[in-house]
Amino acid sequence: MAASVEQAFDYGLLLSIREESARLAALNEYLSTRSYIGGFTFSQADVEAFTRFPEPPREQYFHVLRWYRHIAAITDTSSANSCDTKGKRVQPAWSPPEGTEQPRLHLYNSLTRSKDEFVPQNGKQVLWYCCGPTVYDASHMGHARSYISFDILRRVLMNYFKYDVFYCMNITDIDDKIIKRARQNHLFEQYREKKPAPAQILGDVQTALKPFLVKLAETTDPDKKQMLERLHAAVTSVLGPLQEAVQRGAASSEVAPRAELLLKEAKDLLSDWLDSQLGSQVTENSIFSILPKYWEGEYHQDMEALNVLPPDVLTRVSEYVPEIVAFVKKVVENGYGYVSNGSVYFDTAQFGGSEKHSYGKLVPEAVGDQKALQEGEGDLSISADRLSEKRSQNDFALWKASKPGEPSWDSPWGKGRPGWHIECSAMAGSILGESMDIHGGGFDLRFPHHDNELAQSEAYFENDHWVRYFLHTGHLTIAGCKMSKSLKNFITIKDALAKHTARQLRLAFLMHSWKDTLDYSNNTMESAIQYEKFINEFFLNVKDVLRAPTNITGQYEKWDSQEIELNKSFYEKKAAVHRALCDNVDTRTAMEEMRALVSLGNTYIAARKSNRQTPNRMLLQSVAAYLTEMLRVFGAIDGVEPIGFPVGGSGQNMDLEAIVMPYLSVLSDFRETVRKIARENKVTEVLQLCDALRDDTLPELGVRLEDHEGLPTVVKLVDRETLLKEREEKKQVEEEKKRKKEEAARKKQEQEAAKLAKMKIPPSEMFRLEIDKYSNFDDSGFPTHDAEGKEISKGQTKKLKKLYDAQEKLHKDYLEMVQNGGSS
């Protein structure tokens, strides 16, 4: 582009200046105002003017030389005269670096039983459905296994890989277990409200025991049998005393408490018996909603306590009955379902025989497993008449005709209720459509539940991709055993939270693979507690470094080899964590890499402090902030704190630290000054008071002071309970040291007393005391014959002489000690 009018210059006037140095100086001043980078370029007048130079201008006229070389390079008019310009000044060619291939996220897909690259169907959006709980009892650690694990996976996909996750979960509030439990609870409460006499309670329990004992005899499952045996033992232990009291006509004050105790112990037994007698009379749908509503509320409270994110949408079976009916109707219309005696069943043979469909995608080897299929159908749905309604034993119920004593809804096939498997298909299909990216659930749901879900959903949508990735969490065991009420190792979430914090439980889960069996044991939790303590100490140490006063420029300190090495390791660990998370969200490896990073940070801090040097603030802040953010991604930190765990919980804890730390710093500095003066003046009482403030008073307030010789005292805010536990452990260690010291002193005293006692014995008497070894002695008390009267051999005499001489020396030392006023 030519120079603008404003930029035009009268080169003729300039070149009329006769003196060359003056002419070049004027041109240099003018050209100093023009910038090629700023968008200016040369005009034809520029070219004509510069061709008059016979050779390049001298270096002192920098701007003239700059433009001379520029014009020469573009026009190639002065190459013959530019031997000292080092060639044309042109921008060299550039090519991007080759780079390295970055790992991509892979997830273990139960549909392929392999790790598949995760590719959502629609950009960064992820449609995710998770099987929720059947709400008829307290949530337990088996539930926690699934829902904490899925919460971790969900958070990693959202907050680390930055996917836009839409998370849908169901609540199963219509189910055979719920129906039976709700009916039994209702009938038992009715029985209690009638306030039966002790004699009636006694008789009813005795009657109920008859079918119970039959059931006990027929039960083959070891866990169930053990549970029934314990129930029987508990009932009979209180049945006898009540029977005896009633027979002898005891006073009401004695009989009534025994009757109440029997009623309590025999609740399950009586409920089952009442249900068998009166269950068919319970028909009101509202009776069956009370139980699931209560336990759903308890479930949500447990999830909130575990810091599990709520779903984006929650579906309840009871609210989706019309959609379920429509879903079943279409499956029948598509030729994959049939009506039988008011119920509707899925035709597995018809579906599996279709060219575009396959039955049993997840666990094909389990197809035909009647035990698993009957468990999937439910206790109320495996009677002989129900089983006879199906064309094949592999078929499963989509809609169940309601029997007396069951809730019911209207349908084209008569009064009935949804089958178990159809619930998820209809609800997930209503919200997520014909295909979702991820479906999650526990490992034990693969067959028949999820295989049947897949079949009926693909029969409805007439596709073969209702789910792209199936994720199944591993089992949970309790100290190596299956969790069971009969084994008394049934642990509710509330039980677990009474012993450990939600963070500790989550850390335990993070330290194991989400898809493998997790053993919940003391060892597992102790590992999590130690991990938490280890990383928290690092956070507290970094906070202490960052609290040291400095101005803005003072934060940027020169890096030495230690900082360069730590920073290199920092980026290596970040890359390792990333690789681990790409590899099926391997949090176990990620947590180990983070632990290793903390170890490197601790080593760096210790090395700097040992040399009386301040650790680099900015580098440690970067490391601690990264670790904090990763733990926040995992859900182990809830809050906005830039570094570390919240103090004492969540909420306003960062404000707490910001508010109290200035006052604690003043207190620490004052105490440090007092200690210095007390040491200089040898005022031990003041030093003891300073130690008591550190060891007794401040821990009660959640404050830890750490004294370091030659360095400022470190102030840390820590949970009060943690500090008190540490204090107790320290006290126990000190008491153990004291006990061992006292034991060592006692042993030393005993040894010295024994030595003194031995020293007191004259050599002439030492062998005479051993009458079991020797019988005759010479005048000096030296033995001549053994206990049997045999003369002592020359070899034995030589050995005894050494002992005799040694004792003679010991006794001489003793006599000298007594003479000099020693022990007597």
Side-chain angles (χ1 to χ4, degrees), residues 112-390:
T112 62
R113 302 191 189 187
S114 63
K115 296 176 186 176
D116 298 327
E117 182 179 348
F118 181 61
V119 182
Q121 298 173 109
N122 185 22
K124 297 293 284 187
Q125 184 186 42
V126 175
L127 301 179
W128 189 334
Y129 180 81
C130 181
C131 275
T134 300
V135 283
Y136 70 99
D137 206 340
S139 300
H140 50 70
M141 284 303 293
H143 294 114
R145 170 56 169 147
S146 285
Y147 299 122
I148 292 178
S149 296
F150 281 129
D151 187 67
I152 292 168
L153 290 171
R154 179 185 175 191
R155 287 173 184 266
V156 170
L157 261 63
M158 289 194 306
N159 302 328
Y160 186 83
F161 291 106
K162 305 303 180 183
Y163 287 107
D164 182 9
V165 177
F166 181 69
Y167 195 82
C168 176
M169 190 187 79
N170 77 293
I171 292 289
T172 297
D173 58 356
I174 302 175
D175 174 83
D176 285 35
K177 295 186 183 73
I178 293 173
I179 293 170
K180 189 172 183 179
R181 180 73 62 84
R183 204 165 59 196
Q184 290 180 346
N185 287 353
H186 173 72
L187 292 171
F188 185 77
E189 287 305 314
Q190 279 191 330
Y191 183 85
R192 285 184 65 96
E193 288 171 4
K194 292 178 181 178
K195 297 181 179 179
Q200 183 181 347
I201 295 174
L202 181 63
D204 289 341
V205 170
Q206 289 173 329
T207 302
L209 269 171
K210 295 176 182 178
F212 173 83
L213 291 173
V214 173
K215 179 180 178 181
L216 175 59
E218 295 175 347
T219 300
T220 56
D221 183 273
D223 285 349
K224 289 182 179 179
K225 193 174 189 68
Q226 191 175 15
M227 187 169 63
L228 293 176
E229 287 173 345
R230 285 177 176 166
L231 174 59
H232 182 234
V235 171
T236 53
S237 67
V238 295
L239 179 68
L242 175 61
Q243 187 175 22
E244 185 273 331
V246 170
Q247 288 176 347
R248 62 182 168 82
S252 176
S253 59
E254 181 184 349
V255 173
R258 295 185 179 185
E260 187 62 30
L261 183 60
L262 177 61
L263 198 59
K264 178 184 176 182
E265 295 293 341
K267 178 185 176 182
D268 291 345
L269 184 145
L270 270 175
S271 297
D272 203 30
W273 174 68
L274 289 168
D275 188 45
S276 67
Q277 302 297 307
L278 307 170
S280 61
Q281 300 175 18
V282 181
T283 57
E284 181 59 45
N285 276 11
S286 61
I287 294 172
F288 299 98
S289 65
I290 296 171
L291 180 77
K293 279 182 180 178
Y294 173 79
W295 287 116
E296 182 188 337
E298 292 292 299
Y299 165 80
H300 291 311
Q301 288 181 18
D302 287 341
M303 292 301 106
E304 184 178 11
L306 291 172
N307 194 29
V308 170
L309 294 173
D312 294 309
V313 61
L314 184 77
T315 60
R316 299 181 184 87
V317 180
S318 59
E319 298 171 348
Y320 276 78
V321 173
E323 288 83 354
I324 291 171
V325 170
F327 198 100
V328 174
K329 188 176 180 182
K330 186 174 180 182
V331 170
V332 174
E333 291 172 354
N334 288 349
Y336 300 110
Y338 58 91
V339 182
S340 178
N341 198 27
S343 295
V344 182
Y345 294 95
F346 187 82
D347 194 330
T348 54
Q350 182 69 21
F351 179 81
S354 171
E355 291 184 0
K356 55 185 177 181
H357 294 305
S358 176
Y359 179 64
K361 283 185 174 183
L362 287 166
V363 196
E365 64 270 24
V367 174
D369 184 338
Q370 290 305 304
K371 182 180 179 181
L373 288 167
Q374 289 182 14
E375 286 179 356
E377 291 295 82
D379 290 344
L380 303 178
S381 308
I382 54 173
S383 58
D385 56 332
R386 278 281 166 88
L387 293 174
S388 65
E389 294 173 355
K390 300 191 294 184

Side-chain angles (χ1 to χ4, degrees), residues 548-726:
T550 184
N551 55 31
I552 294 177
T553 56
Q555 296 180 12
Y556 298 96
E557 302 151 300
K558 180 178 182 295
W559 280 26
D560 292 326
S561 59
Q562 289 178 314
E563 284 77 26
I564 293 170
E565 187 62 30
L566 177 58
N567 189 61
K568 179 184 176 183
S569 299
F570 176 29
Y571 277 84
E572 288 173 351
K573 293 303 177 188
K574 284 202 291 186
V577 169
H578 180 68
R579 287 194 299 272
L581 294 180
C582 287
D583 183 14
N584 195 37
V585 191
D586 179 9
T587 58
R588 178 178 182 174
T589 299
M591 295 286 281
E592 285 303 314
E593 295 293 347
M594 289 164 63
R595 186 204 296 270
L597 177 58
V598 171
S599 294
L600 292 169
N602 287 337
T603 301
Y604 166 74
I605 293 173
R608 295 290 289 183
K609 288 191 173 183
S610 67
N611 294 327
R612 300 294 190 269
Q613 295 174 308
T614 304
N616 188 285
R617 299 164 59 97
M618 301 296 282
L619 178 54
L620 285 177
Q621 185 176 35
S622 297
V623 172
Y626 166 75
L627 291 168
T628 301
E629 183 54 32
M630 289 309 304
L631 289 169
R632 184 177 289 114
V633 164
F634 296 153
I637 290 180
D638 187 25
V640 296
E641 293 81 359
I643 291 178
F645 297 124
V647 180
S650 58
Q652 56 187 9
N653 298 297
M654 190 57 195
D655 294 336
L656 172 66
E657 184 159 346
I659 291 170
V660 305
M661 194 52 72
Y663 300 97
L664 291 173
S665 296
V666 170
L667 173 65
S668 175
D669 292 343
F670 176 76
R671 174 179 171 273
E672 190 69 22
T673 303
V674 170
R675 290 176 73 226
K676 181 180 179 182
I677 296 171
R679 279 197 298 266
E680 290 172 352
N681 294 278
K682 296 181 172 56
V683 186
T684 57
E685 293 84 359
V686 174
L687 288 173
Q688 289 172 355
L689 286 173
C690 290
D691 289 347
L693 177 68
R694 178 195 62 200
D695 299 334
D696 300 326
T697 306
L698 290 178
E700 292 285 350
L701 302 174
V703 179
R704 182 200 291 155
L705 296 185
E706 296 177 358
D707 294 324
H708 298 277
E709 188 66 32
L711 294 171
T713 297
V714 176
V715 184
K716 297 178 179 178
L717 276 183
V718 188
D719 289 338
R720 176 177 177 272
E721 292 75 15
T722 300
L723 288 180
L724 296 182
K725 184 178 179 182
E726 286 178 359

